[in-house]
Amino acid sequence: MNSSSPHPSDPSALIDASGQVHAPAGVGARIVSLVPSLTELVCDLGLRAQLVGRTGFCVHPREVLRDIPKVGGTKDVRLEVVRALAPTHLLVNVDENTRETVAELARFVPHVIVTHPCTPADNLALFRLLGGVFGREALAAELCASLEAALLRAAELRRSLDDEAVAYLIWREPWMTVARSTYISAMLAAVGWQTAPAASELRYPVFSWAEMASVARVFLSTEPYHFKPDDLAEISALAAKPAHMIDGEMVSWYGSRAIAGLDYLVALRRSLAQGK
């Protein structure tokens, strides 16, 4: 690093989740995104013209992405397809992409931007990072303002209600939930829903229904396992608690989706508190 490079301690430096300092990309950036929520964020930052590749799970915004080449999945990336697209920048996430795949891609992609938001507020730094790297500072600032407003609305609702223990289901057979160290759990906590179990060494633990005896309600997520309304009666009987569908994209997608996600959770918490 030369003397003109930003130092990692500089608050204006563009530092990703791996500690790497990035320089502004310039107008010729070619972006491949391996993360659905980051692909959506790239589009919301007005970077559709520079997005040259995405995974098959990157589906929003649908019309915008229709003609963007697919490079495989988040974990089974087709390396030669990425190579042929000649990207200058690769967007990845600690949880969603494998270290081995990213290392292989880094052999021929000049700039790899690693992300790892763990709470809704972490999206502020994510907006500023991508906005700064790709010259979309003004749009990033608008997203930051919208997210800060959504966080305030969530905090106001949480202050008006007692916290409530909940189970958030992501899989069945085996039954699996989320630990409090996950982004999903942090999103739910923003409106006062505390996920069970209270402590877990695993981020996505298998559980028994006896372990969920203290929860007030159970949420069935639409992803990664696609729970359906037909499952509600069965799971309500197993838990001996009310069961509700919940939009998994609204809860688990970070980036720009966090703004709508927080408002979705505020509306859902308020509705359930009113017995609707």
Side-chain angles (χ1 to χ4, degrees):
M1 183 183 298
N2 60 43
S3 59
S4 64
S5 298
H7 190 273
S9 62
D10 180 356
S12 66
L14 302 171
I15 306 172
D16 72 10
S18 72
Q20 178 65 43
V21 179
H22 294 272
V27 296
R30 294 174 58 82
I31 305 167
V32 167
S33 172
L34 301 186
V35 186
S37 52
L38 294 182
T39 300
E40 183 176 51
L41 174 56
V42 164
C43 294
D44 286 342
L45 286 171
L47 294 164
R48 158 63 180 83
Q50 286 152 285
L51 182 66
V52 298
R54 45 111 181 183
T55 75
F57 298 106
C58 298
V59 295
H60 297 302
R62 291 186 185 278
E63 292 304 316
V64 173
L65 296 177
R66 187 180 300 278
D67 299 325
I68 303 295
K70 298 176 185 178
V71 300
T74 55
K75 293 179 172 58
D76 54 344
V77 182
R78 291 180 287 176
L79 302 183
E80 292 309 311
V81 173
V82 177
R83 188 192 299 271
L85 294 170
T88 59
H89 290 76
L90 182 73
L91 306 184
V92 302
N93 176 264
V94 169
D95 289 332
E96 297 195 46
N97 309 118
T98 67
R99 183 186 298 269
E100 295 76 15
T101 296
V102 173
E104 285 295 320
L105 291 165
R107 294 165 67 93
F108 57 85
V109 180
H111 307 285
V112 177
I113 300 178
V114 180
T115 67
H116 191 215
C118 297
T119 71
D122 289 346
N123 288 294
L124 296 168
L126 177 61
F127 298 159
R128 294 177 183 125
L129 172 63
L130 296 191
V133 170
F134 297 112
R136 293 295 190 273
E137 291 88 350
L139 284 172
E142 291 177 11
L143 288 175
C144 285
S146 295
L147 178 58
E148 287 169 341
L151 286 165
L152 283 175
R153 289 190 289 271
E156 288 170 1
L157 175 72
R158 183 174 183 179
R159 285 193 294 269
S160 72
L161 298 168
D162 291 335
D163 279 8
E164 191 174 70
V166 300
Y168 184 96
L169 274 57
I170 60 169
W171 206 259
R172 65 177 299 154
E173 297 179 0
W175 299 104
M176 295 178 69
T177 184
V178 295
R180 292 193 180 177
S181 59
T182 61
Y183 180 85
I184 292 171
S185 186
M187 279 286 286
L188 295 167
V191 296
W193 276 325
Q194 300 292 345
T195 57
S200 172
E201 293 183 1
L202 300 175
R203 288 168 60 78
Y204 304 102
V206 173
F207 69 89
S208 68
W209 287 107
E211 294 175 274
M212 295 297 176
S214 64
V215 304
R217 62 185 77 251
V218 180
F219 288 117
L220 282 61
S221 177
T222 55
E223 65 170 48
Y225 183 89
H226 185 43
F227 285 101
K228 300 177 181 178
D230 290 348
D231 298 315
L232 287 170
E234 175 199 3
I235 291 171
S236 182
L238 287 169
K241 300 291 170 59
H244 317 274
M245 295 301 303
I246 194 166
D247 187 330
E249 290 183 357
M250 285 295 191
V251 185
S252 66
W253 283 37
Y254 38 87
S256 43
R257 180 64 65 94
I259 300 164
L262 286 166
D263 285 339
Y264 167 83
L265 288 173
V266 165
L268 183 59
R269 178 95 210 262
R270 182 177 291 118
S271 175
L272 293 178
Q274 295 170 350
K276 296 180 180 179

